[in-house]
Amino acid sequence: MMKEGNTAVSALWRDLFSLGFYKRSQGRIARQVTFIILAVIVVLAGWSLLDYMSDKVLPLTNVLLADDGDGGRATYDAVNGYARYLVPIAFVASGVWLAFRAVNMAWIADFLIAVEAEMNKVSWPSRAEMFRATLVVIFTIFGLAIILFGYDLLWRGLLKLLGVLG
């Protein structure tokens, strides 16, 4: 039983650090879009981390630095200044790498290949059909809004007449 668990873990590590593509020519659009979305999320998280770290002091920095005459302040500021940029850059680089590897893992890639195959089977509406359907939805929503407004006026008038609303 232990051997099966080790095999799964070693396969995961092998997939994370391999450089190859799994079924390179299949499901390219679904995989590229998934990678781009994941990469954008990671970049935005890195940007948020950079903003968060702009006014933070790294833990244990004062313990690790030696006194250079001014209480270690110059070295302290330099280390914190570099780390404010290096930590988010390392986070983004590792996150983009993980996103790239994730879309090339066998079980995720097979799912995305199947998604793209199903999307190719869909009969997409023409531009004119899409325009007409959009108009139907918009007019239906406005019609329902007008009906609800009328009911609101009716109930408000009735409740004022009965003295419930002042």
Side-chain angles (χ1 to χ4, degrees):
M1 190 68 155
M2 186 67 173
K3 188 169 177 86
E4 291 175 9
N6 287 341
T7 305
V9 171
S10 65
L12 175 68
W13 284 106
R14 185 183 64 241
D15 285 345
L16 282 178
F17 293 109
S18 73
L19 296 174
F21 292 94
Y22 179 76
K23 295 184 180 177
R24 181 182 203 110
S25 62
Q26 297 179 4
R28 288 184 59 190
I29 294 172
R31 288 203 262 181
Q32 288 171 350
V33 169
T34 303
F35 168 73
I36 289 170
I37 290 171
L38 290 174
V40 166
I41 290 170
V42 166
V43 167
L44 290 175
W47 187 9
S48 178
L49 181 62
L50 177 67
D51 185 46
Y52 174 77
M53 291 185 70
S54 66
D55 60 345
K56 302 293 183 212
V57 175
L58 294 176
L60 302 176
T61 308
N62 54 349
V63 175
L64 300 174
L65 299 176
D67 188 7
D68 57 356
D70 64 349
R73 189 71 198 167
T75 310
Y76 180 81
D77 290 339
V79 167
N80 276 296
Y82 292 133
R84 283 189 186 111
Y85 297 106
L86 292 178
V87 170
I89 287 171
F91 174 79
V92 168
S94 62
V96 168
W97 174 255
L98 285 174
F100 171 72
R101 290 310 315 152
V103 298
N104 285 300
M105 288 181 163
W107 60 280
I108 296 174
D110 286 335
F111 171 74
L112 293 173
I113 290 167
V115 166
E116 186 168 330
E118 290 299 319
M119 293 299 286
N120 287 333
K121 295 177 185 176
V122 173
S123 62
W124 298 98
S126 68
R127 188 176 184 93
E129 289 173 326
M130 183 64 74
F131 182 75
R132 286 193 304 269
T134 303
L135 286 179
V136 167
V137 169
I138 289 172
F139 284 124
T140 302
I141 289 172
F142 278 111
L144 289 173
I146 290 169
I147 291 171
L148 287 175
F149 180 71
Y151 283 138
D152 185 47
L153 288 177
L154 177 76
W155 279 105
R156 185 181 306 169
L158 182 64
L159 291 174
K160 279 187 180 180
L161 184 67
L162 294 174
V164 176
L165 291 178

